[in-house]
Amino acid sequence: MKNNSIVLLFVFLICQETLGQVVNLRGDWKFQIGDKASWAAADFNDSDWESIKAPLAWEEQGFNGYDGFAWYRKKFDGRVLSSEERYYLDLGYIDDCDEVYLNGKLVGVSGSMPPKFKTAYNNERKYVLNNEAINFKGTNTIAIRVFDVIHGGGIIDGELGIYEAPKSRMIADLDGLWDFVATDWDKAAPVNAEWKKITVPGPWEPQGYPRYDGYAWYKRTFTLPKNFSDKDQELVLMVGRIDDFDKTYLNGKLIGKTNDERPYGDSHSFEKLRAYTVPAGLLKTIGVNTVEVFVEDMGNIGGIYEGPVGLATRTVYERYYKD
């Protein structure tokens, strides 16, 4: 039966996937109230900032009664990580919403900042760290922009750290940040749409769209590994499990859709893993490829709520991912 237990299942699966903590991020963080875009930069000088503990509400550390914007910053040594592995950043629970940067690059968002504020205080932050953002040869900087409206603020709970995940079997992993727009238009993405960032996989409700039922577009670009050749290989694009219906496009071409055309309560489309065959010659072996997914949600949670999400050979898909 479709219900919010799916959200808990998603969190449970992510927790089960992690192989162990590699970097412990609990303890002292640099902290500053206010809001400046330059504070996300890796080379910003934060030596005169306060030092506070995380996880622990900032009200309990000398900022009693403060509601508004604040930033956290912390450095770690990338030499303890391996470019052959994959990692997740676990920041526990943040009150109310956040944007997370690694070396100046946005890697995760939860909730929505003003002027269209939406809280995500009860959503555990687990963000994919794409290897392109990591400096494996030295210092890395995590910067977290937080907005709080009431009660406890900041990083309030959790086992903060960087965790190793299983090695990927994908040709291209597509989990992580996607562009997203909610719309009442059920055909093409609206002209001049205000695209936001959203984490995939994960329901859209705890990411700034509570109680939203309707239409939305997801968009993500990727490049193929160097020397990749799809000769004699059938490829499959997986876009996870989607609540409820989808149309999936690759480089502008519709390659698959799932819609059992049953009403809310009777439909089981949300249970199906979207795995669509990539037509021969459609992928760009040099240059940028674009995935676009149109989603219709009839009720309860919505969006690309569960993985796997990525490009794989037919052999890998059949062996490891097929339902």
Side-chain angles (χ1 to χ4, degrees):
M1 182 176 180
K2 186 172 91 168
N3 53 43
N4 282 337
S5 65
I6 294 176
V7 179
L8 298 177
L9 174 63
F10 165 71
V11 174
F12 173 78
L13 290 174
I14 289 294
C15 291
Q16 290 296 98
E17 281 183 347
T18 54
L19 298 180
Q21 189 182 85
V22 182
V23 178
N24 186 353
L25 296 176
R26 292 172 66 93
D28 293 334
W29 286 68
K30 290 291 188 176
F31 179 79
Q32 178 68 42
I33 61 173
D35 188 37
K36 291 184 180 180
S38 61
W39 295 350
D43 58 358
F44 175 78
N45 183 1
D46 57 21
S47 60
D48 61 346
W49 283 21
E50 301 261 3
S51 180
I52 68 172
K53 301 289 185 183
L56 185 65
W58 62 51
E59 283 84 351
E60 299 181 42
Q61 303 183 74
F63 297 90
N64 186 40
Y66 178 72
D67 299 319
F69 285 101
W71 284 73
Y72 292 77
R73 288 172 56 89
K74 192 175 185 70
K75 299 183 186 298
F76 69 91
D77 190 347
R79 292 175 294 181
V80 302
L81 307 181
S82 169
S83 60
E84 302 300 316
E85 305 295 338
R86 300 177 68 237
Y87 300 95
Y88 288 95
L89 175 63
D90 187 339
L91 293 173
Y93 294 88
I94 296 177
D95 196 338
D96 279 284
C97 56
D98 61 279
E99 297 173 353
V100 179
Y101 299 83
L102 178 61
N103 298 326
K105 182 177 180 179
L106 184 67
V107 296
V109 295
S110 291
S112 182
M113 299 287 178
K116 297 181 180 180
F117 166 75
K118 292 186 176 104
T119 185
Y121 74 94
N122 61 349
N123 182 34
E124 187 174 7
R125 274 57 166 184
K126 290 180 180 290
Y127 300 132
V128 174
L129 293 181
N130 292 323
N131 284 6
E132 293 79 7
I134 301 172
N135 174 18
F136 291 99
K137 297 181 179 180
T139 302
N140 293 262
T141 302
I142 301 168
I144 308 172
R145 183 190 188 208
V146 177
F147 182 78
D148 173 60
V149 294
I150 194 171
H151 302 310
I155 306 172
I156 58 175
D157 196 13
E159 296 299 324
L160 281 58
I162 296 172
Y163 290 81
E164 184 181 340
K167 289 185 177 180
S168 175
R169 301 181 179 97
M170 304 280 193
I171 296 168
D173 285 294
L174 298 179
D175 48 6
L177 287 180
W178 287 55
D179 293 319
F180 177 87
V181 61
T183 175
D184 57 4
W185 185 247
D186 63 353
K187 296 188 184 298
V191 177
N192 299 323
E194 186 179 357
W195 294 84
K196 302 291 187 180
K197 295 294 184 182
I198 197 168
T199 301
V200 172
W204 62 45
E205 280 80 3
Q207 300 190 71
Y209 300 87
R211 298 179 296 280
Y212 176 68
D213 302 320
Y215 304 111
W217 281 90
Y218 289 79
K219 182 166 60 175
R220 169 73 184 263
T221 60
F222 69 96
T223 57
L224 293 171
K226 293 179 180 179
N227 303 319
F228 170 81
S229 173
D230 62 357
K231 183 179 180 181
D232 300 326
Q233 295 186 88
E234 186 172 77
L235 302 179
V236 175
L237 178 66
M238 291 174 282
V239 286
R241 289 179 172 82
I242 296 175
D243 199 322
D244 287 284
F245 311 133
D246 75 286
K247 296 178 182 177
T248 297
Y249 300 80
L250 178 60
N251 292 334
K253 180 179 178 63
L254 178 67
I255 63 168
K257 60 181 179 179
T258 298
N259 186 341
D260 60 14
E261 299 184 351
R262 294 180 179 179
Y264 179 71
D266 292 333
S267 174
H268 289 272
S269 290
F270 72 93
E271 297 175 340
K272 298 184 180 298
L273 172 62
R274 272 55 167 190
Y276 301 129
T277 301
V278 176
L282 182 59
L283 276 173
K284 301 175 183 177
T285 55
I286 299 176
V288 174
N289 295 277
T290 302
V291 179
E292 296 169 291
V293 183
F294 172 73
V295 174
E296 178 186 354
D297 174 52
M298 297 187 293
N300 217 316
I301 69 166
I304 307 173
Y305 69 87
E306 184 181 301
V309 183
L311 181 71
T313 64
R314 171 67 63 178
T315 299
V316 166
Y317 164 69
E318 295 279 352
R319 181 175 300 173
Y320 298 105
Y321 300 110
K322 186 176 182 180
D323 291 334

